[in-house]
């Protein structure tokens, strides 16, 4: 659907990647919204965007805009998502799509009334490699799924003023990197977890610094998630079946995986291109708009539900939620 008029809200680092992806897809961006007008104008000049809004309400009300990409901090995703869908806009939203299930369900309810598509820009759900790995799993050549292990560690500077540790900006490892790890696990689990156990260490500002999360569903498939914001760990996902296991390194935008059988034999699985990660999101979004649906929305809802539960268990509530 190349005739869609897109707008970008929040011209930060990931928005530059998105604008580049739009260019590679032969698309143009109709408008950009930025609280800082000068920043918005600089972004618009770089990507040949005709309209700059420093009033987001005016952007959402623009009848010429069909779809909006939201890449602001996730602390205000809900506000902008709700305004966008109320104005009949399709929305592609950076992770974490919302900070809670309550927020997500409220937006989805309006989106159903307005008949617009809401999709999270979760690369894992759109990379061609994962579709190929899912096909291998469905073939049952590997047997039943038993265990998933996912690790993601990012060594952030020990600085309480850093946005990653800000309670006001919904900081913490869970919503920033944990959403990737949980999305990886949920993608391969055949059903949503019915049991969720966790433990967390808080940073001095009150957000989660590191955590361990254990998932189990009715099929007795299990997943363990390890997260930290103060140490580097490989972005590695391992999916273990009765007859072999899949290893995916740098899993958020992976284009290759290793399949190792229990007899020691192995083979590399490849599909897609890491560099095209955001292009796959754009293609899926436009396809979903054309079809009037988002088949991956259930996975997104399940991941947000897990994050909502564990954050509640940890006693972490952001100021804007009170």
């Amino acid at each position: 659907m190349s005739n869609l008029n897109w707008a970008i809200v929040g011209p930060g680092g990931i928005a530059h990647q998105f604008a580049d992806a739009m260019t590679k897809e032969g698309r143009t961006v109709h408008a950009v919204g930025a609280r800082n007008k000068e920043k918005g104008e600089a972004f618009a000049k770089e990507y040949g965007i005709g309209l700059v809004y420093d009033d987001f309400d005016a952007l959402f009300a623009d009848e010429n805009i069909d779809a909006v990409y939201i890449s602001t901090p996730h602390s205000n995703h809900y506000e902008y998502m709700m305004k966008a869908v109320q104005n009949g806009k399709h929305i592609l939203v950076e992770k974490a799509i919302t900070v809670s299930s309550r927020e997500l369900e409220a937006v989805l309810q309006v989106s159903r009334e307005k008949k617009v598509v809401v999709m999270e820009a979760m690369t894992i759900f759109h990379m061609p490699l994962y579709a190929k790995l899912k096909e291998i799993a469905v073939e049952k050549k590997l047997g039943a799924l038993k265990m998933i292990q996912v690790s993601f560690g990012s060594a952030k500077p020990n600085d309480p003023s850093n946005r990653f540790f800000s309670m006001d900006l919904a900081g913490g490892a869970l919503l920033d990197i944990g959403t990737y790890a949980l999305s990886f696990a949920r993608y391969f689990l055949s059903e949503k977890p019915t049991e969720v156990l966790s433990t967390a260490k808080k940073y001095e500002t009150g957000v989660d610094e590191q955590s361990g999360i254990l998932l189990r569903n009715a099929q007795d498939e299990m997943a363990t998630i390890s997260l930290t914001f103060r140490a580097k760990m490989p972005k590695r996902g391992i999916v273990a079946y009765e007859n072999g296991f899949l290893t995916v390194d740098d899993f958020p935008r992976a284009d290759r995986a290793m399949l190792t059988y229990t007899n020691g034999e192995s083979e590399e699985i490849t599909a897609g291109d890491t560099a095209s990660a955001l292009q796959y999101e754009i293609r899926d979004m436009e396809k979903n708009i054309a079809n009037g649906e988002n088949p991956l929305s259930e996975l997104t809802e399940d991941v947000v539900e897990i994050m909502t539960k564990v954050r509640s268990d940890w006693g972490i509530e952001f100021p804007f939620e009170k």
Side-chain angles (χ1 to χ4, degrees), residues 130 145-152 180-182 184-186 188-189 213-215 221-227 233-241 245-249 251:
Y130 287 100
L145 173 63
K146 293 298 182 181
M147 175 67 74
I148 300 171
Q149 294 181 345
V150 197
S151 64
F152 196 147
Y180 282 114
L182 287 165
F184 180 95
R186 180 63 189 92
F188 289 101
L189 291 171
I213 302 171
L214 175 63
L215 311 176
E221 301 165 348
M222 299 178 70
T224 61
I225 316 293
S226 302
L227 307 171
M233 285 197 302
K235 302 181 190 74
R236 177 172 297 149
I238 300 174
V239 189
Y241 298 85
F245 62 91
L246 300 165
T247 304
V248 188
D249 286 321
F251 65 83

Side-chain angles (χ1 to χ4, degrees), residues 62-106:
D62 186 337
E63 295 182 354
N64 293 314
I65 294 173
D66 304 304
V68 180
Y69 170 70
I70 299 175
S71 57
T72 62
H74 44 240
S75 52
N76 51 32
H77 280 184
Y78 172 71
E79 175 189 355
Y80 299 148
M81 290 171 66
M82 185 62 81
K83 289 180 178 180
V85 295
Q86 286 173 338
N87 280 276
K89 312 303 183 191
H90 305 286
I91 51 175
L92 173 63
V93 189
E94 270 303 326
K95 56 81 191 170
I97 188 167
T98 58
V99 304
S100 69
S101 292
R102 178 190 60 80
E103 290 184 345
L104 181 57
E105 182 49 43

Side-chain angles (χ1 to χ4, degrees), residues 20 76 167 176:
D20 286 336
N76 51 32
M167 286 288 284
D176 191 83

Side-chain angles (χ1 to χ4, degrees), residues 122-157:
M122 172 51 64
T123 50
I124 290 166
F125 295 159
H126 308 287
M127 296 298 293
L129 176 71
Y130 287 100
K132 191 169 184 178
L133 296 180
K134 181 65 74 69
E135 288 177 3
I136 292 172
V138 170
E139 289 172 358
K140 297 296 183 182
K141 181 170 63 172
L142 296 176
L145 173 63
K146 293 298 182 181
M147 175 67 74
I148 300 171
Q149 294 181 345
V150 197
S151 64
F152 196 147
S154 183
K156 305 300 183 187

Side-chain angles (χ1 to χ4, degrees), residues 1-7 18 21-22 25-30 64-68 88-90 115-117 279-293:
M1 294 187 65
S2 58
N3 60 335
L4 286 174
N5 276 340
W6 281 84
F18 183 80
M22 289 285 284
E25 285 294 291
R27 308 292 191 260
T28 57
V29 178
H30 179 74
N64 293 314
I65 294 173
D66 304 304
V68 180
K89 312 303 183 191
H90 305 286
K115 294 181 172 54
V116 293
V117 172
Q279 291 174 250
Y280 300 132
E281 293 179 346
I282 293 168
R283 293 173 196 174
D284 280 352
M285 181 64 176
E286 293 185 341
K287 182 173 65 177
N288 289 343
I289 291 172
N291 295 334
E293 61 181 14

Side-chain angles (χ1 to χ4, degrees), residues 22-316:
M22 289 285 284
T23 299
K24 292 175 182 176
E25 285 294 291
R27 308 292 191 260
T28 57
V29 178
H30 179 74
V32 60
R35 290 300 187 195
N36 182 312
K37 188 71 175 290
E38 291 183 0
K39 186 175 180 180
E41 290 174 344
F43 188 92
K45 182 179 180 180
E46 182 174 355
Y47 296 103
I49 300 171
L51 285 175
V52 179
Y53 287 97
D54 57 2
D55 179 346
F56 289 177
D57 288 343
L59 182 150
F60 295 133
D62 186 337
E63 295 182 354
N64 293 314
I65 294 173
D66 304 304
V68 180
Y69 170 70
I70 299 175
S71 57
T72 62
H74 44 240
S75 52
N76 51 32
H77 280 184
Y78 172 71
E79 175 189 355
Y80 299 148
M81 290 171 66
M82 185 62 81
K83 289 180 178 180
V85 295
Q86 286 173 338
N87 280 276
K89 312 303 183 191
H90 305 286
I91 51 175
L92 173 63
V93 189
E94 270 303 326
K95 56 81 191 170
I97 188 167
T98 58
V99 304
S100 69
S101 292
R102 178 190 60 80
E103 290 184 345
L104 181 57
E105 182 49 43
V107 171
L108 291 177
Q109 182 175 341
V110 176
S111 74
R112 289 189 285 266
E113 295 169 358
K114 296 290 186 176
K115 294 181 172 54
V116 293
V117 172
V118 175
M119 191 179 93
E120 184 179 35
M122 172 51 64
T123 50
I124 290 166
F125 295 159
H126 308 287
M127 296 298 293
L129 176 71
Y130 287 100
K132 191 169 184 178
L133 296 180
K134 181 65 74 69
E135 288 177 3
I136 292 172
V138 170
E139 289 172 358
K140 297 296 183 182
K141 181 170 63 172
L142 296 176
L145 173 63
K146 293 298 182 181
M147 175 67 74
I148 300 171
Q149 294 181 345
V150 197
S151 64
F152 196 147
S154 183
K156 305 300 183 187
N158 189 15
D159 179 6
S161 67
N162 190 302
R163 68 176 181 86
F164 292 111
F165 298 115
S166 169
M167 286 288 284
D168 291 332
L169 296 178
L174 178 69
L175 289 174
D176 191 83
I177 60 177
T179 185
Y180 282 114
L182 287 165
S183 294
F184 180 95
R186 180 63 189 92
Y187 186 81
F188 289 101
L189 291 171
S190 61
E191 298 179 5
K192 68 182 291 187
T194 54
E195 187 175 359
V196 180
L197 305 174
S198 68
T199 185
K201 175 187 180 297
K202 295 180 182 178
Y203 189 69
E204 61 184 84
T205 58
V207 303
D208 57 293
E209 175 187 320
Q210 62 188 42
S211 62
I213 302 171
L214 175 63
L215 311 176
R216 180 178 180 179
N217 64 18
Q219 301 300 316
D220 288 329
E221 301 165 348
M222 299 178 70
T224 61
I225 316 293
S226 302
L227 307 171
T228 180
F229 247 4
R230 294 284 296 117
K232 188 69 175 176
M233 285 197 302
K235 302 181 190 74
R236 177 172 297 149
I238 300 174
V239 189
Y241 298 85
E242 289 175 313
N243 303 323
F245 62 91
L246 300 165
T247 304
V248 188
D249 286 321
D250 294 321
F251 65 83
R253 299 186 180 187
D255 56 15
R256 62 191 61 245
M258 185 62 67
L259 170 54
T260 304
Y261 297 97
T262 52
N263 64 6
E265 295 180 0
S266 62
E267 61 178 294
E268 187 177 53
I269 310 296
T270 61
D273 180 7
T274 293
S276 301
L278 272 64
Q279 291 174 250
Y280 300 132
E281 293 179 346
I282 293 168
R283 293 173 196 174
D284 280 352
M285 181 64 176
E286 293 185 341
K287 182 173 65 177
N288 289 343
I289 291 172
N291 295 334
E293 61 181 14
N294 176 14
L296 292 169
S297 61
E298 182 180 350
L299 300 183
T300 297
E301 290 179 72
D302 289 351
V303 171
V304 173
E305 183 178 325
I306 294 167
M307 294 194 297
T308 301
K309 182 192 185 308
V310 298
R311 190 161 60 85
S312 175
D313 291 344
W314 301 340
I316 297 177

